[in-house]
């Protein structure tokens, strides 16, 4: 049975997950915004999504672009968990996973590191 949680509480969990990221890494974020949506419009099972140009791919032509977007999807995360503690853990993993894409780390490397 999915966990029931208000949007406000879920957004707090996303903020808490961001607070767990070392300040040295957070200081390196550049032109990125983190958003919460209920679900991806085309894939209801998607937990999170990074859209943008990873730091490792930016060059001297990068500029004047909209911020990269990290979207955390509330509904599938709540549906896959059976207790709030699980939601807390899964939100943290999802946030770290998507932030890693901003730093240029691909899915294969993330899975190898246990953040898949």
């Amino acid at each position: 049975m999915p966990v029931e949680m208000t949007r406000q509480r879920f957004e707090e969990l996303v903020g808490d997950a961001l607070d767990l990221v070392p300040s040295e890494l957070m200081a390196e974020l550049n032109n990125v915004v983190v958003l919460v949506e209920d679900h991806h419009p085309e894939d209801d099972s998607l937990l999170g999504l990074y859209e943008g140009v990873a730091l490792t791919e930016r060059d001297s032509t990068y500029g004047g672009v909209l911020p990269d977007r990290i979207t955390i999807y509330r509904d599938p995360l709540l549906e896959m968990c059976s207790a709030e503690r699980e939601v807390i853990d899964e939100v943290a993993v999802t946030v770290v996973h998507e932030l890693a894409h901003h730093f240029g780390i691909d899915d294969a490397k993330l899975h190898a590191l246990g953040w898949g």
Side-chain angles (χ1 to χ4, degrees):
M1 180 148 176
V3 174
E4 291 188 26
M5 181 178 292
T6 66
R7 183 175 183 92
Q8 179 181 350
R9 174 67 178 137
F10 188 87
E11 289 175 356
E12 288 171 3
L13 295 182
V14 172
D16 292 347
L18 288 167
D19 289 343
L20 295 174
V21 177
S23 59
E24 300 84 12
L25 286 178
M26 290 301 286
E28 297 299 319
L29 290 180
N30 184 286
N31 199 31
V32 63
V33 62
V34 178
L35 306 167
V36 172
E37 297 291 340
D38 288 335
H39 55 84
H40 187 274
E42 296 172 10
D43 184 351
D44 287 340
S45 66
L46 200 59
L47 304 180
L49 181 65
Y50 171 75
E51 298 171 285
V53 180
L55 293 177
T56 55
E57 296 176 13
R58 295 179 186 180
D59 59 22
S60 62
T61 63
Y62 180 84
V65 298
L66 292 173
D68 292 4
R69 293 171 47 115
I70 292 174
T71 308
I72 307 300
Y73 296 110
R74 179 177 175 267
D75 291 347
L77 281 159
L78 294 177
E79 288 172 12
M80 71 181 285
C81 298
S82 59
E84 184 168 325
R85 179 77 243 163
E86 287 180 56
V87 176
I88 293 168
D89 294 342
E90 291 298 331
V91 165
V93 167
T94 303
V95 166
V96 168
H97 182 105
E98 301 309 330
L99 282 174
H101 290 316
H102 177 69
F103 289 104
I105 302 171
D106 66 17
D107 280 331
K109 181 71 171 178
L110 284 166
H111 285 276
L113 294 171
W115 292 97

